[in-house]
Amino acid sequence: MRAADADREAVAERLRVALDEGRLDLHEYDERLQRAYAARTYADLEALVTDLPPVTPAQRSGLVPATASTVSPLDGQPVAAPTRGVTARWMAEVWFPYLRVIAIVVTIWAVTSLLSQDLLYFWPAWVAGPWGAVLVVRTITGLAGGEPRREAIERQRRRQRKQAKRAAKSTKPPKAP
């Protein structure tokens, strides 16, 4: 039977999911995607996904994707990983100390230049330049390595440990005198 555009799109989406899961490399994904859009029959499409496991909707799956959650060290239950503002918060934690220090040293330079009534050598560049270069490298490697998400998960684990400790303290009977 001849395949429709919707069938080709469904196979393309299944291939994208397989790529995201690491089941296909980028080259193989590209080859299969081209063949999917060129397919004319269901048999052509089926041949592209026969070696891939069937896709189960997340609500019916017994497995929890590693990127969508983590396991709580307290009770072994899955905990949803934070997603909103994770990268922005991480960037702020990395860059705000730098920006504060640079603001302070530039202010000191500006005040001393004003008091001396002469434009002094801009020495804050020796603070800003090297430190800024290190932060640029850290930002690029951190974003590429998923550092914001890891730190957010760790922050959430610490918060859960604190809540568990508070709950344990509140359930302990008071000490007898």
Side-chain angles (χ1 to χ4, degrees):
M1 292 181 68
R2 296 194 59 89
D5 287 341
D7 301 320
R8 290 182 198 91
E9 288 296 326
V11 169
E13 177 62 22
R14 190 160 170 205
L15 292 172
R16 188 195 59 75
V17 168
L19 175 69
D20 290 345
E21 293 174 342
R23 298 180 194 282
L24 297 175
D25 63 23
L26 194 56
H27 180 71
E28 187 176 11
Y29 167 74
D30 186 47
E31 284 179 3
R32 288 187 189 204
L33 190 62
Q34 287 176 9
R35 288 179 25 210
Y37 284 117
R40 291 190 176 146
T41 65
Y42 286 117
D44 295 338
L45 292 174
E46 186 63 30
L48 299 173
V49 294
T50 54
D51 63 336
L52 299 175
V55 176
T56 305
Q59 26 318 12
R60 293 188 313 161
S61 175
L63 301 174
V64 180
T67 57
S69 71
T70 184
V71 176
S72 170
L74 301 174
D75 56 7
Q77 297 297 319
V79 177
T83 56
R84 290 186 57 204
V86 168
T87 302
R89 182 173 180 166
W90 181 79
M91 293 283 285
E93 289 173 355
V94 169
W95 283 93
F96 277 164
Y98 170 79
L99 295 174
R100 282 188 204 116
V101 169
I102 297 309
I104 290 169
V105 296
V106 168
T107 302
I108 292 170
W109 170 82
V111 168
T112 55
S113 289
L114 283 172
L115 291 176
S116 69
Q117 297 178 349
D118 190 20
L119 193 60
L120 299 176
Y121 174 73
F122 190 70
W123 57 267
W126 289 102
V127 177
W131 191 5
V134 169
L135 285 180
V136 166
V137 170
R138 178 168 183 224
T139 300
I140 291 169
T141 57
L143 290 174
E147 187 69 23
R149 186 180 229 15
R150 277 196 301 278
E151 282 195 19
I153 290 170
E154 186 57 36
R155 189 173 19 261
Q156 188 172 5
R157 285 181 180 163
R158 284 193 301 267
R159 192 176 309 124
Q160 286 177 340
R161 280 189 219 119
K162 282 183 182 179
Q163 288 173 350
K165 284 180 183 178
R166 281 190 212 123
K169 281 184 181 179
S170 65
T171 58
K172 284 185 182 177
K175 291 183 180 179

